[in-house]
Amino acid sequence: MAGDRELLLEIDVGRAHELLESDEPPVLIDVREQSEWDTGRIAGALHIPMGELGENVEPYRGRALVLYCARGNRSLRAAEALSQQGFEGVVSVAGGIQAWEQAGFPVELPAGLDEEQRKRYSRHLLIPEIGLAGQRRLLDASVLLVGAGGLGSPAALYLAAAGVGRIGIVDDDVVDESNLQRQVLHSTAALGEPKVDSATRRLGELNPDVEVVPYRERLTPENVDRVLDEGWEVIVDGADNFPTRYLLNDASVWHDLPIVHGSIFRFEGQVTVFAPGSGPCYRCLFPEPPPPELAPSCAEGGVLGVLPGVIGSIQGSETLKLVLGVGRPLVGRLLLYDALEGSFDEVEVRRDPACPVCGESPTITEYVDYVEFCGRPR
Ligand SMILES: [Zn+2]
């Protein structure tokens, strides 16, 4: 009477869909092998391969069970075996996930990596702190880079290479001969081209998994909210001027977004993380910009070509740590690098309760436009 049993033990995909959508859905079990499961599955399914059903299915005894496999053969055998073991209300989906898909029902793509990604990110997958889940996290991450210059170059290249899935780049400049000594994102062929275009092309060549969102504009009090509202998790500050740095700081406090800050001058660089709520902001350290005549960044200061490579790479590393939630970020710690000395130093930096922006009674509550004040030549 095998035929009768099959009638009892099999349901078609339409009925399966109906049951799964009902108020009391059955337990859906995918009995295929790992490699098949990795190619896609029906949403909400548990994965218990045929050979592992035994004890793993025991907890669901007494519940309505719907089993499926690729074409419905293995799951029918499994349903037969389970019903012989006294499971009641076990059915198999006739035609399996193939029939399900052909009927137009949705198949959930795995939150895993495809074959190419497994190779590309294999050195991340080997690290327990990252692994498959961490790499998925990176691929789902959104990081905003302000500035595609010296600091932004290594940060952008390494974040893209690491598989950060969405990278925004804000820069209104074009590639100039004097940039190429350190801005390794750009090439001689890109001279005269907007930096965001040159960056988008280069990052696309490096890693097709990355979506680059270019903003060919300079951050201003008028556009900063619009740009920061577009779903970013971490901001990398690679700005070369005080107006942008202060604007970005105030915006990040009000938008509750961490900033990975870097700055460079001649042979010295510094890097830290400003995390609103858990550490100081830039204004806790420097409440107001220096007067324009004393501000080296308002004019162009000289810089050793490789220095932004060191500082921007550390910014990239801090960004990955924040996205992955691993390690000890540079919050409340200012890391100083002296290339001439070949030394790193660390200075503790504290949140200032009297900070004009993140303090207890803020005195700055709207954006300050320092651009004209600074008089930076465009
Ligand atoms: Zn502050």
PDB file of all heavy atoms in Angstrom, residues 343-368:
ATOM      1  N   SER A 343      58.670  56.064  15.591  1.00  0.00           N
ATOM      2  CA  SER A 343      58.065  55.707  16.877  1.00  0.00           C
ATOM      3  C   SER A 343      56.561  55.971  16.903  1.00  0.00           C
ATOM      4  O   SER A 343      56.052  56.870  16.230  1.00  0.00           O
ATOM      5  CB  SER A 343      58.736  56.519  17.998  1.00  0.00           C
ATOM      6  OG  SER A 343      58.424  57.891  17.835  1.00  0.00           O
ATOM      7  N   PHE A 344      55.900  55.153  17.684  1.00  0.00           N
ATOM      8  CA  PHE A 344      54.474  55.343  17.975  1.00  0.00           C
ATOM      9  C   PHE A 344      54.332  55.732  19.446  1.00  0.00           C
ATOM     10  O   PHE A 344      55.023  55.173  20.298  1.00  0.00           O
ATOM     11  CB  PHE A 344      53.693  54.049  17.750  1.00  0.00           C
ATOM     12  CG  PHE A 344      53.396  53.756  16.310  1.00  0.00           C
ATOM     13  CD1 PHE A 344      54.203  52.895  15.582  1.00  0.00           C
ATOM     14  CD2 PHE A 344      52.297  54.325  15.679  1.00  0.00           C
ATOM     15  CE1 PHE A 344      53.923  52.611  14.250  1.00  0.00           C
ATOM     16  CE2 PHE A 344      52.004  54.039  14.354  1.00  0.00           C
ATOM     17  CZ  PHE A 344      52.823  53.182  13.635  1.00  0.00           C
ATOM     18  N   ASP A 345      53.453  56.669  19.730  1.00  0.00           N
ATOM     19  CA  ASP A 345      53.129  57.008  21.112  1.00  0.00           C
ATOM     20  C   ASP A 345      51.620  57.033  21.251  1.00  0.00           C
ATOM     21  O   ASP A 345      50.909  57.250  20.280  1.00  0.00           O
ATOM     22  CB  ASP A 345      53.678  58.401  21.488  1.00  0.00           C
ATOM     23  CG  ASP A 345      55.166  58.343  21.759  1.00  0.00           C
ATOM     24  OD1 ASP A 345      55.566  57.568  22.648  1.00  0.00           O
ATOM     25  OD2 ASP A 345      55.911  59.042  21.048  1.00  0.00           O
ATOM     26  N   GLU A 346      51.159  56.829  22.482  1.00  0.00           N
ATOM     27  CA  GLU A 346      49.727  56.881  22.699  1.00  0.00           C
ATOM     28  C   GLU A 346      49.421  57.860  23.816  1.00  0.00           C
ATOM     29  O   GLU A 346      50.078  57.854  24.852  1.00  0.00           O
ATOM     30  CB  GLU A 346      49.218  55.488  23.078  1.00  0.00           C
ATOM     31  CG  GLU A 346      47.708  55.399  23.074  1.00  0.00           C
ATOM     32  CD  GLU A 346      47.215  54.012  23.474  1.00  0.00           C
ATOM     33  OE1 GLU A 346      47.641  53.019  22.859  1.00  0.00           O
ATOM     34  OE2 GLU A 346      46.416  53.942  24.413  1.00  0.00           O
ATOM     35  N   VAL A 347      48.441  58.720  23.578  1.00  0.00           N
ATOM     36  CA  VAL A 347      48.043  59.705  24.573  1.00  0.00           C
ATOM     37  C   VAL A 347      46.574  59.454  24.909  1.00  0.00           C
ATOM     38  O   VAL A 347      45.748  59.264  24.020  1.00  0.00           O
ATOM     39  CB  VAL A 347      48.192  61.143  24.002  1.00  0.00           C
ATOM     40  CG1 VAL A 347      47.751  62.176  25.025  1.00  0.00           C
ATOM     41  CG2 VAL A 347      49.608  61.403  23.559  1.00  0.00           C
ATOM     42  N   GLU A 348      46.275  59.443  26.193  1.00  0.00           N
ATOM     43  CA  GLU A 348      44.875  59.277  26.584  1.00  0.00           C
ATOM     44  C   GLU A 348      44.129  60.597  26.343  1.00  0.00           C
ATOM     45  O   GLU A 348      44.628  61.672  26.681  1.00  0.00           O
ATOM     46  CB  GLU A 348      44.788  58.909  28.064  1.00  0.00           C
ATOM     47  CG  GLU A 348      43.380  58.578  28.500  1.00  0.00           C
ATOM     48  CD  GLU A 348      43.255  58.417  30.027  1.00  0.00           C
ATOM     49  OE1 GLU A 348      44.296  58.452  30.714  1.00  0.00           O
ATOM     50  OE2 GLU A 348      42.129  58.278  30.492  1.00  0.00           O
ATOM     51  N   VAL A 349      42.983  60.530  25.729  1.00  0.00           N
ATOM     52  CA  VAL A 349      42.181  61.742  25.526  1.00  0.00           C
ATOM     53  C   VAL A 349      40.801  61.510  26.138  1.00  0.00           C
ATOM     54  O   VAL A 349      40.215  60.439  25.980  1.00  0.00           O
ATOM     55  CB  VAL A 349      42.066  62.126  24.034  1.00  0.00           C
ATOM     56  CG1 VAL A 349      43.358  62.764  23.544  1.00  0.00           C
ATOM     57  CG2 VAL A 349      41.722  60.938  23.151  1.00  0.00           C
ATOM     58  N   ARG A 350      40.328  62.513  26.877  1.00  0.00           N
ATOM     59  CA  ARG A 350      39.089  62.324  27.631  1.00  0.00           C
ATOM     60  C   ARG A 350      37.972  63.191  27.108  1.00  0.00           C
ATOM     61  O   ARG A 350      38.204  64.260  26.551  1.00  0.00           O
ATOM     62  CB  ARG A 350      39.325  62.679  29.097  1.00  0.00           C
ATOM     63  CG  ARG A 350      40.270  61.725  29.760  1.00  0.00           C
ATOM     64  CD  ARG A 350      39.983  61.603  31.236  1.00  0.00           C
ATOM     65  NE  ARG A 350      40.897  60.632  31.814  1.00  0.00           N
ATOM     66  CZ  ARG A 350      41.526  60.811  32.960  1.00  0.00           C
ATOM     67  NH1 ARG A 350      41.296  61.903  33.661  1.00  0.00           N
ATOM     68  NH2 ARG A 350      42.335  59.892  33.419  1.00  0.00           N
ATOM     69  N   ARG A 351      36.781  62.730  27.385  1.00  0.00           N
ATOM     70  CA  ARG A 351      35.604  63.504  27.056  1.00  0.00           C
ATOM     71  C   ARG A 351      35.565  64.715  27.986  1.00  0.00           C
ATOM     72  O   ARG A 351      35.831  64.600  29.187  1.00  0.00           O
ATOM     73  CB  ARG A 351      34.368  62.638  27.288  1.00  0.00           C
ATOM     74  CG  ARG A 351      33.164  63.198  26.609  1.00  0.00           C
ATOM     75  CD  ARG A 351      32.100  62.135  26.525  1.00  0.00           C
ATOM     76  NE  ARG A 351      30.843  62.767  26.136  1.00  0.00           N
ATOM     77  CZ  ARG A 351      29.668  62.176  26.229  1.00  0.00           C
ATOM     78  NH1 ARG A 351      29.599  60.950  26.696  1.00  0.00           N
ATOM     79  NH2 ARG A 351      28.589  62.812  25.860  1.00  0.00           N
ATOM     80  N   ASP A 352      35.259  65.888  27.426  1.00  0.00           N
ATOM     81  CA  ASP A 352      35.215  67.109  28.216  1.00  0.00           C
ATOM     82  C   ASP A 352      33.757  67.439  28.542  1.00  0.00           C
ATOM     83  O   ASP A 352      32.968  67.721  27.632  1.00  0.00           O
ATOM     84  CB  ASP A 352      35.853  68.251  27.406  1.00  0.00           C
ATOM     85  CG  ASP A 352      35.823  69.563  28.163  1.00  0.00           C
ATOM     86  OD1 ASP A 352      35.371  69.579  29.338  1.00  0.00           O
ATOM     87  OD2 ASP A 352      36.243  70.575  27.580  1.00  0.00           O
ATOM     88  N   PRO A 353      33.390  67.402  29.830  1.00  0.00           N
ATOM     89  CA  PRO A 353      31.991  67.703  30.183  1.00  0.00           C
ATOM     90  C   PRO A 353      31.590  69.110  29.731  1.00  0.00           C
ATOM     91  O   PRO A 353      30.398  69.381  29.555  1.00  0.00           O
ATOM     92  CB  PRO A 353      31.973  67.610  31.711  1.00  0.00           C
ATOM     93  CG  PRO A 353      33.221  66.897  32.093  1.00  0.00           C
ATOM     94  CD  PRO A 353      34.227  67.125  31.005  1.00  0.00           C
ATOM     95  N   ALA A 354      32.595  69.963  29.518  1.00  0.00           N
ATOM     96  CA  ALA A 354      32.306  71.335  29.072  1.00  0.00           C
ATOM     97  C   ALA A 354      32.429  71.474  27.553  1.00  0.00           C
ATOM     98  O   ALA A 354      32.426  72.600  27.039  1.00  0.00           O
ATOM     99  CB  ALA A 354      33.248  72.310  29.770  1.00  0.00           C
ATOM    100  N   CYS A 355      32.538  70.362  26.842  1.00  0.00           N
ATOM    101  CA  CYS A 355      32.652  70.412  25.375  1.00  0.00           C
ATOM    102  C   CYS A 355      31.469  71.179  24.783  1.00  0.00           C
ATOM    103  O   CYS A 355      30.320  70.935  25.166  1.00  0.00           O
ATOM    104  CB  CYS A 355      32.694  68.997  24.807  1.00  0.00           C
ATOM    105  SG  CYS A 355      32.593  68.934  23.008  1.00  0.00           S
ATOM    106  N   PRO A 356      31.750  72.097  23.849  1.00  0.00           N
ATOM    107  CA  PRO A 356      30.655  72.898  23.293  1.00  0.00           C
ATOM    108  C   PRO A 356      29.641  72.092  22.474  1.00  0.00           C
ATOM    109  O   PRO A 356      28.544  72.575  22.208  1.00  0.00           O
ATOM    110  CB  PRO A 356      31.368  73.934  22.409  1.00  0.00           C
ATOM    111  CG  PRO A 356      32.727  73.382  22.160  1.00  0.00           C
ATOM    112  CD  PRO A 356      33.065  72.514  23.335  1.00  0.00           C
ATOM    113  N   VAL A 357      29.999  70.857  22.076  1.00  0.00           N
ATOM    114  CA  VAL A 357      29.054  70.071  21.262  1.00  0.00           C
ATOM    115  C   VAL A 357      28.545  68.823  21.990  1.00  0.00           C
ATOM    116  O   VAL A 357      27.338  68.589  22.059  1.00  0.00           O
ATOM    117  CB  VAL A 357      29.689  69.660  19.909  1.00  0.00           C
ATOM    118  CG1 VAL A 357      28.805  68.672  19.169  1.00  0.00           C
ATOM    119  CG2 VAL A 357      29.892  70.898  19.049  1.00  0.00           C
ATOM    120  N   CYS A 358      29.456  68.022  22.570  1.00  0.00           N
ATOM    121  CA  CYS A 358      29.001  66.771  23.189  1.00  0.00           C
ATOM    122  C   CYS A 358      28.967  66.865  24.709  1.00  0.00           C
ATOM    123  O   CYS A 358      28.737  65.863  25.390  1.00  0.00           O
ATOM    124  CB  CYS A 358      29.851  65.585  22.721  1.00  0.00           C
ATOM    125  SG  CYS A 358      31.431  65.410  23.556  1.00  0.00           S
ATOM    126  N   GLY A 359      29.205  68.077  25.262  1.00  0.00           N
ATOM    127  CA  GLY A 359      29.233  68.247  26.706  1.00  0.00           C
ATOM    128  C   GLY A 359      27.848  68.296  27.345  1.00  0.00           C
ATOM    129  O   GLY A 359      26.838  68.051  26.682  1.00  0.00           O
ATOM    130  N   GLU A 360      27.850  68.601  28.637  1.00  0.00           N
ATOM    131  CA  GLU A 360      26.595  68.563  29.390  1.00  0.00           C
ATOM    132  C   GLU A 360      25.639  69.689  29.009  1.00  0.00           C
ATOM    133  O   GLU A 360      24.429  69.522  29.001  1.00  0.00           O
ATOM    134  CB  GLU A 360      26.882  68.585  30.896  1.00  0.00           C
ATOM    135  CG  GLU A 360      27.269  67.200  31.406  1.00  0.00           C
ATOM    136  CD  GLU A 360      28.195  67.237  32.620  1.00  0.00           C
ATOM    137  OE1 GLU A 360      28.258  68.298  33.287  1.00  0.00           O
ATOM    138  OE2 GLU A 360      28.859  66.221  32.883  1.00  0.00           O
ATOM    139  N   SER A 361      26.193  70.874  28.760  1.00  0.00           N
ATOM    140  CA  SER A 361      25.322  71.956  28.265  1.00  0.00           C
ATOM    141  C   SER A 361      25.943  72.586  27.023  1.00  0.00           C
ATOM    142  O   SER A 361      26.687  73.556  27.110  1.00  0.00           O
ATOM    143  CB  SER A 361      25.078  73.005  29.348  1.00  0.00           C
ATOM    144  OG  SER A 361      26.104  72.976  30.315  1.00  0.00           O
ATOM    145  N   PRO A 362      25.652  71.963  25.879  1.00  0.00           N
ATOM    146  CA  PRO A 362      26.267  72.385  24.623  1.00  0.00           C
ATOM    147  C   PRO A 362      25.952  73.839  24.272  1.00  0.00           C
ATOM    148  O   PRO A 362      24.820  74.295  24.468  1.00  0.00           O
ATOM    149  CB  PRO A 362      25.647  71.454  23.577  1.00  0.00           C
ATOM    150  CG  PRO A 362      24.903  70.419  24.324  1.00  0.00           C
ATOM    151  CD  PRO A 362      24.693  70.881  25.709  1.00  0.00           C
ATOM    152  N   THR A 363      26.974  74.528  23.795  1.00  0.00           N
ATOM    153  CA  THR A 363      26.769  75.909  23.355  1.00  0.00           C
ATOM    154  C   THR A 363      26.676  75.991  21.833  1.00  0.00           C
ATOM    155  O   THR A 363      26.228  76.973  21.287  1.00  0.00           O
ATOM    156  CB  THR A 363      27.935  76.798  23.830  1.00  0.00           C
ATOM    157  OG1 THR A 363      29.164  76.177  23.445  1.00  0.00           O
ATOM    158  CG2 THR A 363      27.908  76.963  25.348  1.00  0.00           C
ATOM    159  N   ILE A 364      27.134  74.928  21.179  1.00  0.00           N
ATOM    160  CA  ILE A 364      26.992  74.884  19.715  1.00  0.00           C
ATOM    161  C   ILE A 364      25.905  73.865  19.404  1.00  0.00           C
ATOM    162  O   ILE A 364      26.031  72.681  19.715  1.00  0.00           O
ATOM    163  CB  ILE A 364      28.317  74.476  19.042  1.00  0.00           C
ATOM    164  CG1 ILE A 364      29.388  75.540  19.308  1.00  0.00           C
ATOM    165  CG2 ILE A 364      28.121  74.288  17.538  1.00  0.00           C
ATOM    166  CD1 ILE A 364      30.776  75.147  18.838  1.00  0.00           C
ATOM    167  N   THR A 365      24.814  74.329  18.806  1.00  0.00           N
ATOM    168  CA  THR A 365      23.693  73.434  18.531  1.00  0.00           C
ATOM    169  C   THR A 365      23.296  73.458  17.060  1.00  0.00           C
ATOM    170  O   THR A 365      22.362  72.788  16.656  1.00  0.00           O
ATOM    171  CB  THR A 365      22.464  73.813  19.385  1.00  0.00           C
ATOM    172  OG1 THR A 365      22.192  75.201  19.176  1.00  0.00           O
ATOM    173  CG2 THR A 365      22.715  73.570  20.862  1.00  0.00           C
ATOM    174  N   GLU A 366      24.001  74.253  16.271  1.00  0.00           N
ATOM    175  CA  GLU A 366      23.799  74.157  14.829  1.00  0.00           C
ATOM    176  C   GLU A 366      25.136  74.314  14.113  1.00  0.00           C
ATOM    177  O   GLU A 366      26.122  74.746  14.721  1.00  0.00           O
ATOM    178  CB  GLU A 366      22.770  75.173  14.339  1.00  0.00           C
ATOM    179  CG  GLU A 366      23.050  76.597  14.759  1.00  0.00           C
ATOM    180  CD  GLU A 366      21.870  77.510  14.411  1.00  0.00           C
ATOM    181  OE1 GLU A 366      20.754  77.232  14.891  1.00  0.00           O
ATOM    182  OE2 GLU A 366      22.109  78.465  13.657  1.00  0.00           O
ATOM    183  N   TYR A 367      25.145  73.934  12.836  1.00  0.00           N
ATOM    184  CA  TYR A 367      26.418  73.917  12.112  1.00  0.00           C
ATOM    185  C   TYR A 367      27.036  75.302  11.997  1.00  0.00           C
ATOM    186  O   TYR A 367      26.345  76.290  11.780  1.00  0.00           O
ATOM    187  CB  TYR A 367      26.206  73.322  10.717  1.00  0.00           C
ATOM    188  CG  TYR A 367      25.781  71.874  10.770  1.00  0.00           C
ATOM    189  CD1 TYR A 367      24.559  71.461  10.244  1.00  0.00           C
ATOM    190  CD2 TYR A 367      26.597  70.923  11.387  1.00  0.00           C
ATOM    191  CE1 TYR A 367      24.167  70.128  10.310  1.00  0.00           C
ATOM    192  CE2 TYR A 367      26.211  69.599  11.461  1.00  0.00           C
ATOM    193  CZ  TYR A 367      24.992  69.201  10.927  1.00  0.00           C
ATOM    194  OH  TYR A 367      24.612  67.895  11.008  1.00  0.00           O
ATOM    195  N   VAL A 368      28.346  75.335  12.165  1.00  0.00           N
ATOM    196  CA  VAL A 368      29.095  76.581  12.012  1.00  0.00           C
ATOM    197  C   VAL A 368      29.803  76.508  10.663  1.00  0.00           C
ATOM    198  O   VAL A 368      30.441  75.497  10.353  1.00  0.00           O
ATOM    199  CB  VAL A 368      30.163  76.714  13.132  1.00  0.00           C
ATOM    200  CG1 VAL A 368      30.840  78.066  13.055  1.00  0.00           C
ATOM    201  CG2 VAL A 368      29.533  76.478  14.498  1.00  0.00           C
TER     202      VAL A 368
END
